[in-house]
Each structure stands twice: as structure tokens, then as C-alpha cells.
Amino acid sequence: MNEIFNQAYLCASEIINIAKLTEGDILVVGCSTSEVLGSKIGTDSSPETANALFDGIKKAADEKGIFIAAQCCEHLNRAIIVEKDAVKGAQICNVVPQPKAGGSFATAAYKSFKNPVAVEEIKADAGIDIGFTMIGMHLKKIAVPVRLENNKIGEATVLGARVRPKFIGGGRAIYDEKIM
């Protein structure tokens, strides 16, 4: 579990830096512990693995004051578990994830957060997809895929994503490179 913790920490640190996240930004995480363990998604949910993953990602997020948004599995319609302070004014759902209904990673997040809530959707500033969980619906426009150097956690492939402002004005427009 130490290796999974370390891999998760490095992966989260990398996307946080690439995406230039700052305090108060949101990092959405979709995670299949089954894939991390080398099994088919949805077949080998592991709370122990989820705790190691969550703790590594949380360590990286806490260093920059970033909120984590944990995507639930399809049994909860990919709802999001997040700290209430990250989604002030959002419509809250009445659900508590479980390893086989929401997923082990979302369950670990719910148990770890000080004031966890579930919401149907969120518009995050960046994300990591651990094991092909499809986080795109929870990212702000415009999502840009990021190939990470730290692209494996256990047996799972990890893909990062960041967002950027829309380009407006066509080919003759000048864009601000500082916010890209």
C-alpha cells in the first residue's frame, strides 16, 4: 500500500502543478480500485487500496489548498463526493457511498472529509482518471488531456486533464499565455 500511496501522491502533485491549480481550486478524481489491482473495472472493489490512493492524493492536494472531488461509480450515476465548502449553494444529494454502491474511492473520501456532501455534478479545474472512469463530465470547459509522466498507479493507467479558457476571435486573435 505504500507504493500505491506514493504513486497517487506523485500523480496528483504532477497534475496540480501542470494545471497550475491554486488554493480553492477543485481536482476531480475518478478511480477504479479494481483496475489498480489488475482486475476489470467494477469487479474487485478494495477499501484498503482506496484509502492508500485517497491519502496520497489528499496529501498533494492539501499542500496547495486544493479541494478533491471524488467521482462515484455508475451505481450512483457518477455523483461527486466533496467538502461542502467547495460547493457552497449547490444542490445536495442525500446519499452515502459504499464500496459496492458508489465505489471504494468515493467511500474513502466521504469518510475522510470533515463535512462531506454529494452533488450530481461539479465543474472542476483539473482531474485525474485512474483506470478509465470517465471524469470528463465533471470538468469545466475546455478540457485538455494531459499525458502524465506518473501515468500508472498499481496496474491502472492514469490520464490527467486540465482546463483552459475558451479561445474567442479566430485565427487573428491574441491569447494570454499566462492563463493557458
Side-chain angles (χ1 to χ4, degrees):
M1 289 301 125
N2 285 339
E3 185 173 350
I4 288 173
F5 171 93
N6 290 331
Q7 289 172 330
Y9 172 78
L10 291 172
C11 178
S13 294
E14 184 178 354
I15 193 63
I16 287 168
N17 289 328
I18 289 171
K20 300 177 184 166
L21 298 184
T22 60
E23 186 173 344
D25 285 346
I26 299 173
L27 175 70
V28 66
V29 180
C31 176
S32 168
T33 58
S34 300
E35 291 277 337
V36 171
L37 295 173
S39 299
K40 181 181 171 190
I41 194 168
T43 63
D44 196 13
S45 189
S46 169
E48 181 182 38
T49 302
N51 289 334
L53 286 158
F54 182 81
D55 291 346
I57 293 166
K58 185 166 183 0
K59 180 180 179 192
D62 285 350
E63 291 173 356
K64 299 273 185 153
I66 307 299
F67 288 107
I68 298 170
Q71 178 180 268
C72 293
C73 73
E74 65 182 293
H75 296 104
L76 295 184
N77 300 318
R78 305 256 188 262
I80 293 289
I81 305 301
V82 66
E83 288 282 8
K84 189 173 186 178
D85 285 347
V87 290
K88 291 179 179 160
Q91 180 72 42
I92 305 300
C93 300
N94 187 8
V95 68
V96 176
Q98 303 297 311
K100 298 281 186 182
S104 290
F105 187 81
T107 302
Y110 192 92
K111 289 178 178 179
S112 177
F113 289 155
K114 292 176 187 157
N115 195 5
V117 295
V119 294
E120 283 189 274
E121 58 186 23
I122 200 165
K123 295 299 179 192
D125 303 287
I128 48 178
D129 186 324
I130 305 166
F132 305 110
T133 60
M134 305 293 287
I135 61 167
M137 68 187 85
H138 295 301
L139 291 166
K140 291 177 182 174
K141 295 180 181 177
I142 303 297
V144 178
V146 175
R147 289 183 183 264
L148 301 172
E149 184 177 314
N150 298 289
N151 65 358
K152 292 290 260 189
I153 298 178
E155 298 298 315
T157 300
V158 179
L159 179 63
R162 64 176 182 83
V163 298
R164 65 158 176 81
K166 290 181 181 182
F167 292 142
I168 304 295
R172 294 180 184 213
I174 298 173
Y175 302 106
D176 187 348
E177 293 295 323
K178 293 181 290 198
I179 61 173
M180 301 308 295

